[in-house]
Amino acid sequence: MTTLTEATIEADPTLPIIRITRDFAATPEQLFRAHTDPELFAKWVGPDRMTVRIEHWDARNGGSWSYAAGTDDAEFGFRGCFHEVRTDRIVQTFTFEGSPDNVSLETLTFERLDDGRTRLHAQSLCDSFEVRDQWLASGMETGVDQGYAKLDGLLAEGVLGR
Amino acid sequence: MTTLTEATIEADPTLPIIRITRDFAATPEQLFRAHTDPELFAKWVGPDRMTVRIEHWDARNGGSWSYAAGTDDAEFGFRGCFHEVRTDRIVQTFTFEGSPDNVSLETLTFERLDDGRTRLHAQSLCDSFEVRDQWLASGMETGVDQGYAKLDGLLAEGVLGR
């Protein structure tokens, strides 16, 4: 099995879905924590030039979340609700406040690999191919790659425990 | 414009979406109330033979809901979260507890028609065509048609105000 130290970002050929796959030197529990603990999440998500400020965070079934990601010049809001928060699976909605009527449904799963690593599968389901393709053309890979590199760093530092 | 006194239930040809369209002798505000007030919602949703018991209901951005629909013999659970609750638009997740990993994203809009009626547009987005087609083959039209007929009745009785 190839180790995916870089994220793969794929457009489904027949569904309005983006799939991101990435391996981490981590346990599923550590990746779960990285996505549900607001202080940890704020430390790694998004591109390097952005600072994330959590506004609201309630990571449980039926809870919700919102955060602002900012540079010196501008701030961008994101929000959604947690449909399901399970140690092996998180399902949540996602909206960029700049385009409030585009809502996507995100499903994260944490697959334990044989070599001690864990493979993150992140699926974003949009309600049109146009919106899906706008996301793909938005430069999202910078935030994905830089964000996951920060998460690698936190794991190496031991900040996420075991 | 044709008045849709019976619901149309359509499968999108290229997206894993079900679209339901139905006209009501109602204002958009009344349809909003019918979908957000738990006591009213429980009076009309689903087939005639089912009684709906609301377990949890918090109809606001980032809130959540759950209810059980039962006959004398069995009870079926449903749950989700409210991503957005706006007078002209509700976006929520939806899961049947019998199939907990199938989550759909529902978008309801209320379109005011020229003749004083309001057209309800209900869109259900699934993450595969298989799941979408299972819903279409499940006999869902009985619950849709009987539920909306009950809602017609509540409107005629004046239970939903103006």
Side-chain angles (χ1 to χ4, degrees), chain A residues 79 81 83 89 93 95 101, chain B residues 79 81 83 89 93 95 101:
Chain A
R79 70 176 189 84
C81 55
H83 177 83
R89 182 178 151 99
T93 58
T95 292
D101 284 0
Chain B
R79 71 176 189 85
C81 57
H83 177 83
R89 183 178 150 98
T93 58
T95 291
D101 283 0

Side-chain angles (χ1 to χ4, degrees), chain A residues 76-136:
Chain A
F76 304 92
F78 300 89
R79 70 176 189 84
C81 55
F82 289 109
H83 177 83
E84 178 143 56
V85 178
R86 219 164 68 188
T87 50
D88 63 336
R89 182 178 151 99
I90 299 169
V91 182
Q92 60 190 51
T93 58
F94 177 93
T95 292
F96 166 48
E97 296 281 17
S99 183
D101 284 0
N102 289 337
V103 184
S104 57
L105 185 66
E106 319 234 298
T107 304
L108 307 175
T109 55
F110 311 113
E111 179 194 0
R112 192 187 295 273
L113 302 178
D114 289 340
D115 64 0
R117 291 182 170 248
T118 296
R119 182 160 293 176
L120 170 69
H121 300 270
Q123 168 180 296
S124 294
L125 171 66
C126 303
D127 71 356
S128 75
F129 288 100
E130 291 73 15
V131 168
R132 192 272 307 267
D133 294 340
Q134 280 167 23
W135 275 111
L136 287 170

